[in-house]
Amino acid sequence: MSTILDRSGFNPDKKLKIVGTSPIKHDGIDKVTGRAKFGADLFLPGMLVGKILRSPHPHAVIKSIDTSAAEALPGVKAVVTRTDFPELPKGSVAGDMSRNAMAREKALYDGHPVAAVAATSESIAKQALKLIKVDYEALPHVIDPVAAMKPDAPILHDHIRTKGVKDAADKPTNVVERLELKMGDVDAGFAQADVIVEHEYDTKPMHQGYIEPQGCVATCTEDGQVELWCCTQGPWVFRDRLTEILKIESSKIRVTQSELGGGFGGKTGFYPEPIAILLARKSKRPVKIALTRGEVFRATGPVSGTKSRIKMGVTRDGKFTAADAELVFQTGAFAGSMFFNAPQAMFTRYDLKNVKTVSYEVVSNRPKVNSFRAPCVPQVVFGVEGVVNELAQKIGMDPLDLRIKNAAAEGYKTIYGETFGPIGFLETLIAAKNCDHYKSPVPQGQGRGVAAGFWFNRGGETTGTLNVATDGSITLILGTSDVAGSRISISMMAAEELGIPVDKVRAVMADTHSLGFNRVTAGSRTTFATGMIIVDSARKAIKELCKRAAGIWGVAPEAVTFEDGHCKPAGANVGEFEPLSIAQIAAKTQATHGAIAGHSEMNVTGAGPGFGLHIVDVEVDRETGRVDIKRYTVVEDAGKAIHPLQVEGQFQGGAVQGIGWALNEEYFYGADGRLQNASFLDYRMPVASDVPMIGTEIVEVPNPKHPFGLRGVGEVPVVPTMAAIANAIGNAIGIRPRSLPMSPPRLLKLMDDADAK
């Protein structure tokens, strides 16, 4: 199969009519009027209500589970526990997924599922949970990842031995892996530095904060055919993981994606879904499980908390010479934090030749972490960009000028081995320096901060289909979940390629029986990768349209060209034929050669990396420690903004989530190891009054490996946010915070300690 790059590289001279405009989203009306169907909106005849019993202990051996009283309760149709799950090896990926879905030997965090029921009503299901008797043997627990690394810390898993350590002692540990990355000579680099800055930083776990809690409906037929309707960022990934942990053939599991009420990475992993399937199989009835907000906080994946030490050196004339970091990542009760992103991305945007990082992934008695925009990167960039600003201050250089002088450019080879092609970091920095916000004076009593961010951007396995209807309208069948409105952007690319209005294109989301494998919607890959697939599909359809027109005219296919939605003679010597529209050709398909469609599948490559720069002004109340964000501007390279309003929304959304992470959001655990703020009343997320209007500036340095030049924009906007706010706070109060969140109590203590000194 030829790849998209063989036939459709970026064409800078192409005149665009649809791409670059901002039409109304096709799915928008259903969402704002309440017609859209989300994870918990499906109702089936005879459907039961599923509820999950969760451990009240952060760490405990499960000695026995007695479900007899619950099973005898009228209205209860099924009860499942650990014995209903296939036995899988401890420490394997499938074994960890299974044990996270339902506790096996031990409960490993407050909220860990230990049993579940399906009943004819919610009240009966709740009553049944109270009748289940679990005999626990409580064990010592550890919440903090640094404490979990100590020799005397309670051990979560007896099978863990630290990966990446030579001659490691053959005894259990909580340190899952030690990862060392380096390039160049760090010692020599620091020897060349005139100024060196080194500090320690820490960040706390926060939740993605999606509005829609996880919800699903599962059915199972007598011959074992499973259907699952759920809110997911990866239907095919869910299917394959369910195959592994439930030992059901993939062809017998059909996953249908609902609309998604937010995900941000948090719906790349499953929670109630395998339990609902087992309950449905046991009860022989459809089963719905919808999590409460408390369950979402207690038992779904937040982001990693971190502890880091970051060191950088610079010459007096402003050239970075070396960087060094030691990083600790909290992964929760099971491995899989994607911590390896951080050492690969934390310094990657600067032209650094000498870099060394040592990273640790550590288990502790918390829920297993899950992805969040640019997993594991924003929390360490919080420290890096603080060091960069301090270096600028110490050598007397403007912080943006220092970044401009050290900006990575085309040809730079990264610590993870990629050599950059055309990138837009320098252009982004220059645009930021020239924007009105940065050139304006800092208002009296406020502080201004800047910070830069990077994300790799991803491609991956993707499939899709473009169908031409007999009236000339187009249906796209897509496999990548629509997390943030990607359907309209992909429809626009199809319409642009076909030369028709975007209103003639509609995209539908496929189930796992309808298309081949699609990678999860994550990593800023969806519009890029699916756009490649749909452009390729459109060109295949165009080729067939030209072939059909040639048949109608009685000429060779190569004598037909396609332009502005019509097949036309390629030259005057072909003959005097009136152009044929897509609709005119499609109207004849039933009587000739059948339907016209284009289909494509590939492992998409060529996602150009993304870069951004944030500027923020803050005001700090010295009596209360409250921080007010007064002005905020996001400058980022989008390659090409397919739908500019969508791109602006991504920029603004990332910044708003970062504001919450920077100022308020964190998990509080008591001495008993239980989560104390498992509701939106106690877990403080930003509301409209907490944030200003966020300005955006879209930079467009085309990615030459995409037909329209685009780069993903989902991850970068959150990466610099906390660092930019911290730098602004530092300039406002005279001392830069090194701990997240920068909540009023922390800032008051920081200012009091500074005054005492």
Side-chain angles (χ1 to χ4, degrees), residues 70 305 588 678 714:
K588 300 177 183 293

Side-chain angles (χ1 to χ4, degrees), residues 726-742:
N727 290 340
I729 291 172
N731 288 330
I733 66 174
I735 179 168
R736 204 270 193 183
R738 296 174 194 152
S739 181
L740 286 180
M742 296 170 286

Side-chain angles (χ1 to χ4, degrees), residues 39-239:
D41 286 338
L42 182 66
F43 291 87
L44 296 175
M47 189 171 69
L48 303 175
V49 176
K51 285 289 179 182
I52 299 170
L53 181 68
R54 300 180 181 277
S55 169
H57 303 286
H59 196 193
V61 173
I62 301 174
K63 299 173 71 175
S64 65
I65 304 175
D66 182 358
T67 62
S68 57
E71 290 171 321
L73 183 68
V76 172
K77 302 300 180 182
V79 180
V80 298
T81 66
R82 56 190 178 180
T83 60
D84 293 282
F85 281 77
E87 189 61 40
L88 296 166
K90 289 193 293 184
S92 66
V93 174
D96 283 357
M97 286 191 294
S98 178
R99 285 169 172 80
N100 193 42
M102 183 70 75
R104 206 68 56 89
E105 300 83 6
K106 295 195 295 183
L108 293 164
Y109 54 90
D110 166 40
H112 200 163
V114 294
V117 304
T120 53
S121 71
E122 184 174 3
S123 61
I124 293 173
K126 288 180 177 179
Q127 186 181 351
L129 292 185
K130 295 176 182 178
L131 297 175
I132 298 174
K133 297 177 182 177
V134 184
D135 185 9
Y136 295 102
E137 179 188 339
L139 300 172
H141 65 273
V142 59
I143 297 295
D144 179 72
V146 175
M149 297 177 74
K150 295 179 179 178
D152 59 348
I155 296 296
L156 273 70
H157 304 282
D158 58 11
H159 61 268
I160 289 182
R161 304 292 185 273
T162 305
K163 180 182 176 183
V165 175
K166 291 183 178 179
D167 304 319
D170 186 18
K171 63 178 184 179
T173 175
N174 292 323
V175 182
V176 178
E177 184 174 355
R178 178 188 185 274
L179 175 65
E180 181 174 323
L181 298 178
K182 59 184 176 181
M183 64 179 184
D185 187 333
V186 171
D187 292 337
F190 281 118
Q192 296 166 11
D194 294 310
V195 176
I196 295 172
V197 170
E198 181 177 13
H199 293 301
E200 291 187 350
Y201 300 88
D202 71 90
T203 70
K204 304 299 187 293
M206 55 81 76
H207 201 273
Q208 298 88 349
Y210 36 79
I211 294 175
E212 175 201 27
Q214 280 81 355
C216 66
V217 175
T219 67
C220 186
T221 64
E222 292 289 346
D223 64 345
Q225 299 288 330
V226 171
E227 291 200 37
L228 177 68
W229 161 282
C230 61
C231 47
T232 172
Q233 291 178 236
W236 281 263
V237 174
F238 271 34
R239 180 200 64 186

